[in-house]
Amino acid sequence: MAGSERTVVWFRRDLRIDDNPALAAAARDGAVLPVFIWCPADEGQFYPGRCSRWWLKQSLRHLSQSLESLGCPLVLIRAESTLEALLRCIDSVGATRLVYNHLYDPVSLVRDDKIKKELSALGISIQSFNGDLLYEPWEIYDDSGLAFTTFNMYWEKCMELPIDVSPSLAPWKLVPVPGLESVRSCSVDDLGLESSKDEESSNALLRRAWSPGWRNAEKMLEEFVSHGLLEYSKHGMKVEGATTSLLSPYLHFGEVSVRKVYQLVRMQQIKWENEGTSEAEESIHFFMRSIGLREYSRYLCFNFPFTHEKSLLGNLKHYPWKVDEERFKSWRQGMTGYPLVDAGMRELWATGWTHNRIRVIISSFAVKFLLIPWTWGMKYFWDVLLDADLESDILGWQYISGSLPDGHELSRLDNPEVQGQKYDPDGVYVRTWIPELARMPTEWIHHPWDAPSCILEVAGVELGFNYPKPIVDLHIARECLDDAISTMWQLDTAEKLAELDGEVVEDNLSNIKTFDIPKVVLRETSPCALPIDQRVPHASSKDHNLKSKVLKASNRSSICVDMIRSSKMEATSSVANSPVSRKRSYCETAFHVPSYSSSAEVHSHIQDHGGSLVGPSRYLLQEAGRNCVDEVEDSSTADSGSSISRQRKAA
């Protein structure tokens, strides 16, 4: 405490004491005023969902207690303007410096730039630190000084550079600034992070499964490295149970630093190498790639700040998305008729959480089967996920929709039935979240529409009544996807020809109708959400208020064919892992419903009951049907047998 400077420490998504560069710098140089400002107006379109706000509330309470024990209370402020709130704090205590840790999402980049300019003009010293990444986004470029657009090349470049993993030491004591009592502070409850009694009662379920807070984050990290890391690669194939690290919400809110994660994993790796534990190498590799993908998500958002609303690949601006609100609703409610997809959506609605493998499956279904705009799905994930992370969600949805050079091939269509047999072979996950199918034999659990009528009857399943028929046939989905891609390339060619005449064709996403996505809670509340296509301002945004024009010149048809051929995208598949996450099981009790593994067991059951059939199942998710209704998969190739080929059309 050699200095005498008065410093305001602006907490955001760095809610920890240990390895917090901004807090350490302020504590080293003098008196400190720790501040957290909740400004809903700043969040705009990306106002956090219920589960995310619950986590933030618990984490702030935990941080406040820690700072209090160090001698300096946390000042909590609910404000209409973050800039004005910071100015009031600075003026109240006579502070001369503001410190904070970097954020990289498009909303924060714009806000931070504005605040830095305003305060610097007033003579306030501004210092910002890297408290979230191993590498800053502006440190990694190719030999030409350009940003990477594929993960493999980005991560290879990162691995060539040294990593500073020495964490900032946690201060053992903090000196509060004189005049602290003059700063108006509110309680955690007064921030309004839980906006209704319904939300509070729904959040009671979250408390049973999660323990937010930076000390709990460190315990979770140590537990994973000691007991879960060794079999991390094997567990990637399981969608039920606790199979990954559970660190994603802790990392999002900055309750544990990525430097500390990297350091502990490397130390464990060295230990296993000395012990000759060779099977750990694959798990270390996959886990470090998941950390790399988190880094890459920040890298993309910083270098391409439009990616929250536009595809990175320019040709996709012509993709003919289907603005079908009814199908979007069926997808959100888990009523598509495809069991694995519906189970994932119901779990997501009920818990704010689902395994990353399931996130890939349900997002791919929305984009490829239903042709729903990926921005709709991304916004819905943001609204409901407990670990909602804008940068990671952008990367995941752009990857799935074929919007990245190394993402899924645009024409790739994975069969949910085959994926169910691969990742939920016994049907445990589906039966957990779709009680209507709890008595379906394993043989038919992932494709009940193919089951004989006697099987359906004894299982209590009536398709179209207590469980929906498939919302779209597999082969029809294949044809629609191929037609959409064909239309996209035709429009892409038309734009190239139009540019010769000085015309411009606009992005199809900009024409999508605005409507509200209802906030999701366990009890029904009035729908209240922001427009799906609301734009977030950023430094490189441009006005695209242009009209598209249709080419009618018949003498250009031969040119169109040549340009379509020459402009085909060379899509490549990429090895990409999910952000660090693990599924929590919220169902602590199993459904006491008989299940069958084969048709023979069903017929045996019928005979045991004198040939009579059991009536329809009463174990229905009524609320899910009425009121209820995120990072990419770690496989470099398509699932064997899961891709659906198109049937040949008649001439």
Side-chain angles (χ1 to χ4, degrees):
M1 306 293 180
S4 59
E5 194 164 15
R6 299 183 181 185
T7 304
V8 173
V9 182
W10 182 20
F11 281 92
R12 288 102 65 80
R13 292 203 299 271
D14 50 352
L15 307 179
R16 63 181 183 271
I17 302 297
D18 190 30
D19 192 22
N20 188 322
L23 178 63
R28 182 173 57 249
D29 296 336
V32 174
L33 177 64
V35 174
F36 178 86
I37 300 170
W38 175 242
C39 181
D42 281 354
E43 306 299 332
Q45 158 185 16
F46 294 105
Y47 182 80
R50 172 186 63 87
C51 295
S52 184
R53 284 184 281 110
W54 171 83
W55 189 288
L56 175 60
K57 180 178 179 179
Q58 308 310 313
S59 185
L60 285 172
R61 183 173 282 125
H62 187 94
L63 177 66
S64 181
Q65 293 171 354
S66 298
L67 289 171
E68 189 81 39
S69 66
L70 294 176
C72 194
L74 175 65
V75 173
L76 299 171
I77 301 174
R78 182 182 174 96
E80 297 297 325
S81 167
T82 300
L83 175 60
E84 293 179 1
L86 287 172
L87 284 172
R88 286 196 298 269
C89 292
I90 292 171
D91 292 341
S92 297
V93 299
T96 57
R97 184 172 65 151
L98 172 70
V99 296
Y100 57 86
N101 294 312
H102 297 148
L103 294 177
Y104 309 92
D105 63 272
V107 178
S108 299
L109 287 173
V110 175
R111 178 190 59 205
D112 293 358
D113 183 65
K114 178 183 177 182
I115 288 175
K116 185 174 182 179
K117 289 179 179 178
E118 293 283 347
L119 295 184
S120 297
L122 297 175
I124 305 299
S125 174
I126 308 294
Q127 271 189 290
S128 56
F129 301 86
N130 176 16
D132 188 53
L133 297 174
L134 297 175
Y135 308 94
E136 290 284 22
W138 50 85
E139 296 174 349
I140 312 296
Y141 291 103
D142 64 16
D143 295 337
S144 301
L146 301 176
F148 291 102
T149 55
T150 59
F151 171 71
N152 283 341
M153 296 182 67
Y154 163 81
W155 194 233
E156 287 174 6
K157 183 69 173 181
C158 289
M159 292 294 95
E160 296 174 0
L161 303 176
I163 302 177
D164 180 14
V165 294
S166 55
S168 302
L169 296 177
W172 62 273
K173 184 179 180 181
L174 294 174
V175 177
V177 295
L180 175 62
E181 61 281 356
S182 63
V183 181
R184 182 177 298 178
S185 178
C186 67
S187 66
V188 175
D189 293 329
D190 291 337
L191 290 177
L193 296 173
E194 289 180 309
S195 57
S196 68
K197 292 296 182 182
D198 282 338
E199 285 195 356
E200 291 181 11
S201 60
S202 298
N203 292 339
L205 294 175
L206 299 176
R207 297 188 186 95
R208 296 169 56 185
W210 298 92
S211 300
W214 69 275
R215 291 189 183 278
N216 295 320
E218 293 184 348
K219 294 177 183 177
M220 190 67 68
L221 172 60
E222 293 170 359
E223 178 185 349
F224 169 69
V225 171
S226 300
H227 305 291
L229 180 59
L230 184 61
E231 297 185 344
Y232 181 78
S233 60
K234 297 179 182 178
H235 287 164
M237 299 293 289
K238 300 178 181 179
V239 296
E240 81 281 349
T243 57
T244 53
S245 73
L246 269 178
L247 292 175
S248 56
Y250 296 103
L251 282 167
H252 170 73
F253 288 101
E255 296 169 320
V256 63
S257 74
V258 71
R259 278 193 298 265
K260 188 162 189 175
V261 174
Y262 182 88
Q263 184 183 43
L264 288 184
V265 170
R266 286 304 189 198
M267 290 173 62
Q268 187 68 37
Q269 181 183 23
I270 294 172
K271 177 183 177 183
W272 283 334
E273 288 176 352
N274 293 335
E275 295 173 351
T277 310
S278 57
E279 61 269 21
E281 189 62 33
E282 186 178 11
S283 291
I284 294 287
H285 171 74
F286 279 122
F287 183 75
M288 291 312 302
R289 285 183 67 86
S290 72
I291 294 296
L293 278 164
R294 181 180 181 275
E295 299 269 315
Y296 186 55
S297 70
R298 271 76 176 151
Y299 181 82
L300 277 184
C301 278
F302 179 82
N303 288 286
F304 305 98
F306 58 84
T307 49
H308 66 288
E309 58 185 359
K310 292 174 57 181
S311 302
L312 185 63
L313 293 178
N315 62 280
L316 280 174
K317 70 180 180 180
H318 304 298
Y319 194 81
W321 303 105
K322 286 190 176 180
V323 186
D324 192 328
E325 298 179 28
E326 287 302 316
R327 284 192 169 191
F328 185 44
K329 180 180 179 181
S330 298
W331 176 74
R332 296 197 317 263
Q333 292 179 336
M335 299 292 284
T336 68
Y338 288 92
L340 188 64
V341 175
D342 292 341
M345 294 306 296
R346 296 186 189 190
E347 181 191 24
L348 176 62
W349 171 83
T351 69
W353 178 266
T354 189
H355 190 285
N356 178 72
R357 181 74 62 177
I358 295 296
R359 299 186 196 194
V360 172
I361 291 170
I362 60 182
S363 57
S364 179
F365 186 89
V367 171
K368 301 296 183 66
F369 275 74
L370 305 181
L371 302 184
I372 291 173
W374 65 266
T375 51
W376 287 13
M378 184 191 73
K379 180 60 170 61
Y380 183 69
F381 270 29
W382 174 260
D383 285 345
V384 300
L385 279 172
L386 181 74
D387 60 341
D389 184 90
L390 185 56
E391 298 95 322
S392 296
D393 288 345
I394 289 172
L395 176 64
W397 280 92
Q398 292 237 12
Y399 181 92
I400 288 298
S401 64
S403 302
L404 299 177
D406 57 348
H408 275 186
E409 294 181 6
L410 193 57
S411 60
R412 173 174 170 175
L413 191 70
D414 293 330
N415 189 335
E417 176 187 339
V418 176
Q419 290 177 317
Q421 293 167 352
K422 182 176 182 179
Y423 301 120
D424 186 29
D426 299 323
V428 175
Y429 179 74
V430 167
R431 291 189 182 94
T432 299
W433 294 105
I434 309 182
E436 304 98 292
L437 303 180
R439 293 188 290 181
M440 279 295 293
T442 302
E443 177 183 355
W444 307 103
I445 189 69
H446 292 295
H447 54 119
W449 55 86
D450 289 331
S453 57
C454 62
I455 301 294
L456 293 173
E457 189 171 356
V458 76
V461 177
E462 186 174 347
L463 295 179
F465 176 67
N466 63 358
Y467 186 70
K469 296 179 180 179
I471 192 172
V472 60
D473 180 77
L474 296 175
H475 293 291
I476 292 177
R478 174 76 269 170
E479 291 188 3
C480 290
L481 180 60
D482 287 346
D483 290 341
I485 295 173
S486 177
T487 300
M488 178 194 73
W489 287 118
Q490 292 177 30
L491 292 175
D492 184 67
T493 301
E495 182 189 29
K496 289 180 171 62
L497 293 173
E499 288 175 352
L500 300 177
D501 298 332
E503 301 171 358
V504 180
V505 181
E506 67 176 336
D507 193 327
N508 281 351
L509 282 175
S510 64
N511 290 325
I512 292 176
K513 176 185 175 183
T514 299
F515 70 97
D516 288 343
I517 294 179
K519 295 293 185 184
V520 178
V521 294
L522 294 184
R523 297 184 179 182
E524 184 177 9
T525 60
S526 58
C528 178
L530 292 164
I532 212 61
D533 61 350
Q534 180 180 346
R535 296 294 184 259
V536 178
H538 49 74
S540 62
S541 63
K542 297 180 180 179
D543 185 4
H544 294 281
N545 188 18
L546 303 170
K547 290 187 176 181
S548 60
K549 299 184 178 181
V550 180
L551 292 176
K552 298 181 179 179
S554 59
N555 61 344
R556 295 180 180 175
S557 59
S558 61
I559 301 177
C560 289
V561 173
D562 293 337
M563 296 189 71
I564 288 174
R565 291 173 179 170
S566 65
S567 60
K568 290 286 187 178
M569 176 183 64
E570 297 180 358
T572 59
S573 59
S574 160
V575 176
N577 291 335
S578 61
V580 187
S581 59
R582 179 165 56 159
K583 176 182 178 295
R584 279 274 188 174
S585 174
Y586 285 78
C587 291
E588 297 181 358
T589 58
F591 292 105
H592 299 287
V593 185
S595 60
Y596 309 98
S597 60
S598 65
S599 301
E601 291 189 25
V602 176
H603 291 294
S604 175
H605 176 88
I606 295 174
Q607 293 175 357
D608 292 342
H609 288 77
S612 61
L613 297 174
V614 180
S617 170
R618 303 304 178 193
Y619 299 90
L620 307 181
L621 286 178
Q622 298 291 351
E623 290 301 316
R626 297 192 189 107
N627 304 325
C628 78
V629 151
D630 80 226
E631 103 215 48
V632 295
E633 68 179 321
D634 53 9
S635 175
S636 60
T637 58
D639 298 331
S640 176
S642 65
S643 183
I644 304 165
S645 60
R646 180 172 184 167
Q647 294 179 330
R648 186 179 300 276
K649 285 187 176 180

